[in-house]
Amino acid sequence: PRQPAKTLWYDRPRYVYLEFCVEDSRDVKVVIEDHRLVFSCKNADGVEFYNEINLYGRVNSKDSREKRSDRSITCFMRKWKEKVAWPRITKENIKPAWLSVDFDNWRDWEGDEEVERAMVEQYAEV
């Protein structure tokens, strides 16, 4: 049986970030399309996780990435329209129980582009 991974998201001027909270993940698959993201993996206990998100807005799938760590898999998706805030991550105006806003990373955008550029470069180096 598959279950959705606990997922955090936050919005930035150029990118939307999703963090799938799965420790010791393996067999990670992330498919980023212009209007949809599909995530799947297993954890150390063999539990299968699967999330499919119809995105609120269009992203540039060619300029989007993911990064795996011991604790989670973070996806950053380049927005098609930069500097347009996303009020939610899902196309549908519903909030799945497994999806939460990452308030630790949610900030006002004022003067935030340098911070965001540094974050993306940091991810890209790995």
PDB file of all heavy atoms in Angstrom, residues 34-46:
ATOM      1  N   ASP A  34       5.173  20.542 -16.800  1.00  0.00           N
ATOM      2  CA  ASP A  34       4.828  21.970 -16.756  1.00  0.00           C
ATOM      3  C   ASP A  34       3.699  22.286 -15.770  1.00  0.00           C
ATOM      4  O   ASP A  34       3.657  23.369 -15.216  1.00  0.00           O
ATOM      5  CB  ASP A  34       4.441  22.472 -18.147  1.00  0.00           C
ATOM      6  CG  ASP A  34       5.653  22.569 -19.073  1.00  0.00           C
ATOM      7  OD1 ASP A  34       6.790  22.367 -18.596  1.00  0.00           O
ATOM      8  OD2 ASP A  34       5.464  22.858 -20.264  1.00  0.00           O
ATOM      9  N   HIS A  35       2.783  21.348 -15.582  1.00  0.00           N
ATOM     10  CA  HIS A  35       1.628  21.612 -14.715  1.00  0.00           C
ATOM     11  C   HIS A  35       1.447  20.562 -13.622  1.00  0.00           C
ATOM     12  O   HIS A  35       0.419  20.557 -12.940  1.00  0.00           O
ATOM     13  CB  HIS A  35       0.338  21.673 -15.554  1.00  0.00           C
ATOM     14  CG  HIS A  35       0.293  22.847 -16.482  1.00  0.00           C
ATOM     15  ND1 HIS A  35      -0.020  24.107 -16.054  1.00  0.00           N
ATOM     16  CD2 HIS A  35       0.555  22.943 -17.805  1.00  0.00           C
ATOM     17  CE1 HIS A  35       0.031  24.938 -17.081  1.00  0.00           C
ATOM     18  NE2 HIS A  35       0.377  24.261 -18.155  1.00  0.00           N
ATOM     19  N   ARG A  36       2.443  19.673 -13.456  1.00  0.00           N
ATOM     20  CA  ARG A  36       2.238  18.559 -12.531  1.00  0.00           C
ATOM     21  C   ARG A  36       3.572  18.056 -12.013  1.00  0.00           C
ATOM     22  O   ARG A  36       4.581  18.110 -12.707  1.00  0.00           O
ATOM     23  CB  ARG A  36       1.516  17.444 -13.284  1.00  0.00           C
ATOM     24  CG  ARG A  36       1.120  16.254 -12.459  1.00  0.00           C
ATOM     25  CD  ARG A  36       0.270  15.330 -13.293  1.00  0.00           C
ATOM     26  NE  ARG A  36       1.118  14.527 -14.166  1.00  0.00           N
ATOM     27  CZ  ARG A  36       1.115  13.199 -14.192  1.00  0.00           C
ATOM     28  NH1 ARG A  36       0.289  12.524 -13.437  1.00  0.00           N
ATOM     29  NH2 ARG A  36       1.922  12.538 -14.994  1.00  0.00           N
ATOM     30  N   LEU A  37       3.551  17.553 -10.785  1.00  0.00           N
ATOM     31  CA  LEU A  37       4.729  16.910 -10.204  1.00  0.00           C
ATOM     32  C   LEU A  37       4.303  15.555  -9.648  1.00  0.00           C
ATOM     33  O   LEU A  37       3.256  15.452  -8.988  1.00  0.00           O
ATOM     34  CB  LEU A  37       5.311  17.766  -9.077  1.00  0.00           C
ATOM     35  CG  LEU A  37       6.528  17.132  -8.388  1.00  0.00           C
ATOM     36  CD1 LEU A  37       7.575  18.190  -8.112  1.00  0.00           C
ATOM     37  CD2 LEU A  37       6.136  16.467  -7.093  1.00  0.00           C
ATOM     38  N   VAL A  38       5.086  14.519  -9.955  1.00  0.00           N
ATOM     39  CA  VAL A  38       4.831  13.186  -9.409  1.00  0.00           C
ATOM     40  C   VAL A  38       6.083  12.754  -8.655  1.00  0.00           C
ATOM     41  O   VAL A  38       7.189  12.822  -9.182  1.00  0.00           O
ATOM     42  CB  VAL A  38       4.495  12.171 -10.522  1.00  0.00           C
ATOM     43  CG1 VAL A  38       4.270  10.791  -9.930  1.00  0.00           C
ATOM     44  CG2 VAL A  38       3.276  12.625 -11.323  1.00  0.00           C
ATOM     45  N   PHE A  39       5.889  12.348  -7.412  1.00  0.00           N
ATOM     46  CA  PHE A  39       6.984  11.940  -6.539  1.00  0.00           C
ATOM     47  C   PHE A  39       6.711  10.544  -6.023  1.00  0.00           C
ATOM     48  O   PHE A  39       5.586  10.228  -5.630  1.00  0.00           O
ATOM     49  CB  PHE A  39       7.089  12.913  -5.352  1.00  0.00           C
ATOM     50  CG  PHE A  39       7.958  12.407  -4.247  1.00  0.00           C
ATOM     51  CD1 PHE A  39       9.335  12.534  -4.315  1.00  0.00           C
ATOM     52  CD2 PHE A  39       7.406  11.795  -3.126  1.00  0.00           C
ATOM     53  CE1 PHE A  39      10.143  12.063  -3.296  1.00  0.00           C
ATOM     54  CE2 PHE A  39       8.206  11.323  -2.096  1.00  0.00           C
ATOM     55  CZ  PHE A  39       9.579  11.450  -2.188  1.00  0.00           C
ATOM     56  N   SER A  40       7.747   9.692  -6.003  1.00  0.00           N
ATOM     57  CA  SER A  40       7.599   8.388  -5.358  1.00  0.00           C
ATOM     58  C   SER A  40       8.948   7.940  -4.819  1.00  0.00           C
ATOM     59  O   SER A  40      10.001   8.322  -5.333  1.00  0.00           O
ATOM     60  CB  SER A  40       7.033   7.353  -6.334  1.00  0.00           C
ATOM     61  OG  SER A  40       7.946   7.127  -7.387  1.00  0.00           O
ATOM     62  N   CYS A  41       8.897   7.160  -3.757  1.00  0.00           N
ATOM     63  CA  CYS A  41      10.104   6.567  -3.179  1.00  0.00           C
ATOM     64  C   CYS A  41       9.688   5.516  -2.159  1.00  0.00           C
ATOM     65  O   CYS A  41       8.509   5.308  -1.900  1.00  0.00           O
ATOM     66  CB  CYS A  41      10.987   7.636  -2.526  1.00  0.00           C
ATOM     67  SG  CYS A  41      10.378   8.232  -0.943  1.00  0.00           S
ATOM     68  N   LYS A  42      10.698   4.885  -1.577  1.00  0.00           N
ATOM     69  CA  LYS A  42      10.490   3.970  -0.455  1.00  0.00           C
ATOM     70  C   LYS A  42      11.372   4.447   0.682  1.00  0.00           C
ATOM     71  O   LYS A  42      12.407   5.073   0.443  1.00  0.00           O
ATOM     72  CB  LYS A  42      10.900   2.544  -0.829  1.00  0.00           C
ATOM     73  CG  LYS A  42      10.000   1.892  -1.841  1.00  0.00           C
ATOM     74  CD  LYS A  42      10.486   0.495  -2.169  1.00  0.00           C
ATOM     75  CE  LYS A  42       9.611  -0.116  -3.253  1.00  0.00           C
ATOM     76  NZ  LYS A  42      10.173  -1.356  -3.767  1.00  0.00           N
ATOM     77  N   ASN A  43      10.977   4.128   1.901  1.00  0.00           N
ATOM     78  CA  ASN A  43      11.860   4.423   3.029  1.00  0.00           C
ATOM     79  C   ASN A  43      12.589   3.151   3.439  1.00  0.00           C
ATOM     80  O   ASN A  43      12.436   2.095   2.821  1.00  0.00           O
ATOM     81  CB  ASN A  43      11.089   5.079   4.194  1.00  0.00           C
ATOM     82  CG  ASN A  43      10.119   4.137   4.876  1.00  0.00           C
ATOM     83  OD1 ASN A  43      10.060   2.940   4.604  1.00  0.00           O
ATOM     84  ND2 ASN A  43       9.324   4.683   5.781  1.00  0.00           N
ATOM     85  N   ALA A  44      13.383   3.240   4.502  1.00  0.00           N
ATOM     86  CA  ALA A  44      14.215   2.105   4.938  1.00  0.00           C
ATOM     87  C   ALA A  44      13.367   0.889   5.323  1.00  0.00           C
ATOM     88  O   ALA A  44      13.825  -0.247   5.227  1.00  0.00           O
ATOM     89  CB  ALA A  44      15.088   2.534   6.113  1.00  0.00           C
ATOM     90  N   ASP A  45      12.117   1.135   5.741  1.00  0.00           N
ATOM     91  CA  ASP A  45      11.234   0.033   6.129  1.00  0.00           C
ATOM     92  C   ASP A  45      10.470  -0.548   4.945  1.00  0.00           C
ATOM     93  O   ASP A  45       9.632  -1.432   5.120  1.00  0.00           O
ATOM     94  CB  ASP A  45      10.228   0.517   7.185  1.00  0.00           C
ATOM     95  CG  ASP A  45      10.923   0.971   8.457  1.00  0.00           C
ATOM     96  OD1 ASP A  45      11.986   0.400   8.793  1.00  0.00           O
ATOM     97  OD2 ASP A  45      10.423   1.911   9.109  1.00  0.00           O
ATOM     98  N   GLY A  46      10.721  -0.026   3.751  1.00  0.00           N
ATOM     99  CA  GLY A  46      10.045  -0.536   2.561  1.00  0.00           C
ATOM    100  C   GLY A  46       8.677   0.065   2.316  1.00  0.00           C
ATOM    101  O   GLY A  46       7.954  -0.371   1.421  1.00  0.00           O
TER     102      GLY A  46
END
